[in-house]
Amino acid sequence: VCSMGNSTSRLYSVLAKTLSSSAVSQHQDCLEQLDPARLDPIDPKDLLEECQIVLQKRPPRFQRNFVNLKKDTASNHRPIRVMQWNILAQALGEGKDNFIQCPMEALKWEERKCLILEEILAYKPDILCLQEVDHYFDTFEPLLSRLGYQCTFFPKPWSPCLDVERNNGPDGCALFFLKDRFELINSANIRLTAMKLKTNQVAIAQTLKCHETGRLFCIAVTHLKARTGWERFRSAQGCDLLQNLKNITQGAKIPLIVCGDFNAEPTEEVYREFSNSSLNLNSAYKLLSPDGQSEPPYTTWKIRPSGECRHTLDYIWYSQHALNVNSALGLLTEEQIGPNRLPSFNYPSDHLSLVCDFSFNQDPDRLL
């Protein structure tokens, strides 16, 4: 087990005690999760402190503020904080993605994973939805399970990470929720289809019961096909995902939150399919715009050999009649991102994290 940077204190001990040598071997033979009952809990403050020790030579993390979007309607329960983030697969960051303005030193996993953990620990999500996770078994599952999360991972069948030398196995989607806040009622791993053919893209959908309110809701995470020219393919994947979610939510009787890197601008057909779905979904980050109708100008910003790529691709969709968005985390400004764009020594991914606080509508019998 590798230490996290130069630190060999508590955080190294956490990783060393969590994993056996066989658990971190290349290309796991099985996808069985470690038993959290056998692992000691971690104090998130201690973990954050250890991350900051590893990162002490890097610039401080960017400051982002939550924007209050709460209407006059009062809520009698704690909000549910949901975080969506494509964290950038390590194998792709060092290999295929070719970020020409990002120094390779900034992509070192021993430090970059601490930047990722620092971001998660700073916002303390109740539910965490990640894409491009290729260090699930040796980092995220052992650490987040000991922070009180229940963890699920579904890798891509033909992950591009496997084509990269010295990779850490396939990347995929991962979903984490705090066990002291929610009970898992049902879980589905979905391999998305397009034109009746199984594809390389996946989703996880879980029905949870909120301990505080007793209410059910469904949380889903996905990552659709990338690249220009694949718009119809993404549209077909979106239709398949929506059909699966209609079945899981019993035709929208169960409130729904869908997080994902859709690899699609708001002008694409798949975006319109989600906007016009019978599931009655709205995109939470539209609420940050003055009219509540426009998506942010970007959720990813990078420089590749082909040029600068500035796009809005990441979304948090929600059942707008069953759920309220209390607040949303503001995006990084162009000044904060800097001329070399993302990723960087300051920020670990080419995608920005999205974070929203949700509350249930106070009329649980209201029709969707």
Side-chain angles (χ1 to χ4, degrees):
V1 178
C2 297
S3 66
M4 301 182 78
N6 297 322
S7 172
T8 56
S9 52
R10 288 190 301 271
L11 188 54
Y12 174 79
S13 175
V14 164
L15 288 172
K17 289 179 181 177
T18 300
L19 300 170
S20 66
S21 58
S22 61
V24 293
S25 62
Q26 284 281 48
H27 316 308
Q28 268 73 9
D29 294 329
C30 63
L31 297 179
E32 294 179 1
Q33 298 181 8
L34 297 171
D35 181 6
R38 293 188 287 111
L39 306 176
D40 296 328
I42 307 170
D43 187 326
K45 292 180 180 178
D46 288 343
L47 183 54
L48 180 59
E49 179 184 325
E50 290 294 336
C51 287
Q52 291 168 345
I53 291 171
V54 174
L55 298 170
Q56 58 188 333
K57 293 184 180 179
R58 291 203 179 206
R61 61 184 300 277
F62 296 122
Q63 293 303 307
R64 300 165 65 185
N65 298 317
F66 280 90
V67 179
N68 185 12
L69 302 168
K70 196 170 184 179
K71 299 177 182 178
D72 295 334
T73 54
S75 173
N76 56 8
H77 68 87
R78 284 184 296 159
I80 297 170
R81 176 161 291 182
V82 176
M83 185 174 189
Q84 146 62 28
W85 200 11
N86 178 332
I87 61 171
L88 174 60
Q90 184 64 20
L92 301 183
E94 291 184 315
K96 293 188 168 190
D97 277 352
N98 204 357
F99 303 114
I100 59 173
Q101 294 295 102
C102 179
M104 287 301 295
E105 186 75 10
L107 295 172
K108 287 172 53 179
W109 179 242
E110 289 77 11
E111 295 181 8
R112 196 172 78 84
K113 65 182 170 185
C114 287
L115 278 178
I116 296 171
L117 290 167
E118 186 183 43
E119 183 92 344
I120 294 168
L121 291 164
Y123 298 121
K124 304 174 185 175
D126 300 302
I127 300 172
L128 174 63
C129 296
L130 302 180
Q131 299 86 35
E132 291 200 23
V133 178
D134 63 346
H135 276 270
Y136 176 80
F137 291 101
D138 63 358
T139 301
F140 295 105
E141 198 276 348
L143 287 175
L144 291 177
S145 66
R146 298 175 73 177
L147 290 170
Y149 290 91
Q150 183 155 328
C151 313
T152 304
F153 176 61
F154 192 26
K156 296 174 184 173
W158 313 302
S159 167
C161 293
L162 299 177
D163 297 330
V164 179
E165 190 177 355
R166 295 189 299 274
N167 66 76
N168 199 63
D171 77 301
C173 292
L175 198 161
F176 310 84
F177 67 84
L178 287 176
K179 292 182 290 184
D180 66 355
R181 291 215 64 186
F182 312 107
E183 175 189 352
L184 178 64
I185 303 300
N186 180 60
S187 184
N189 288 351
I190 303 165
R191 185 173 172 186
L192 298 175
T193 63
M195 298 85 169
K196 298 184 179 179
L197 298 174
K198 290 183 178 180
T199 74
N200 193 36
Q201 280 64 48
V202 300
I204 303 169
Q206 296 188 333
T207 302
L208 306 180
K209 182 177 181 180
C210 176
H211 291 318
E212 188 176 344
T213 65
R215 303 210 25 200
L216 297 179
F217 67 100
C218 177
I219 178 74
V221 56
T222 194
H223 188 186
L224 301 188
K225 173 67 182 173
R227 308 298 180 215
T228 302
W230 291 85
E231 291 81 6
R232 289 185 62 194
F233 196 83
R234 281 190 288 272
S235 175
Q237 289 182 326
C239 287
D240 181 51
L241 178 57
L242 285 168
Q243 186 57 54
N244 275 278
L245 294 174
K246 286 175 188 176
N247 295 335
I248 291 169
T249 62
Q250 303 168 28
K253 290 182 181 177
I254 298 173
L256 173 65
I257 300 172
V258 186
C259 295
D261 175 358
F262 280 62
N263 275 307
E265 292 273 10
T267 53
E268 273 199 33
E269 181 63 29
V270 67
Y271 182 94
R272 292 192 290 273
E273 287 162 358
F274 269 72
S275 293
N276 300 326
S277 165
S278 62
L279 293 172
N280 198 22
L281 300 173
N282 192 22
S283 174
Y285 264 71
K286 284 167 54 176
L287 301 179
L288 288 180
S289 66
D291 61 359
Q293 300 298 315
S294 304
E295 292 289 351
Y298 51 83
T299 62
T300 179
W301 202 341
K302 53 211 161 200
I303 300 176
R304 286 180 166 148
S306 58
E308 196 156 347
C309 306
R310 178 180 179 267
H311 299 292
T312 299
L313 307 177
D314 307 271
Y315 307 96
I316 300 179
W317 297 91
Y318 69 102
S319 299
Q320 57 187 329
H321 290 317
L323 297 166
N324 300 310
V325 184
N326 296 358
S327 61
L329 182 64
L331 300 175
L332 292 176
T333 65
E334 180 176 358
E335 183 181 10
Q336 286 176 310
I337 290 173
N340 293 331
R341 310 315 183 197
L342 304 174
S344 66
F345 281 108
N346 300 73
Y347 200 78
S349 176
D350 55 325
H351 289 252
L352 300 178
S353 63
L354 308 181
V355 186
C356 290
D357 290 335
F358 290 97
S359 60
F360 290 106
N361 187 296
Q362 292 309 293
D363 182 1
D365 298 321
R366 182 174 178 180
L367 293 177
L368 301 182

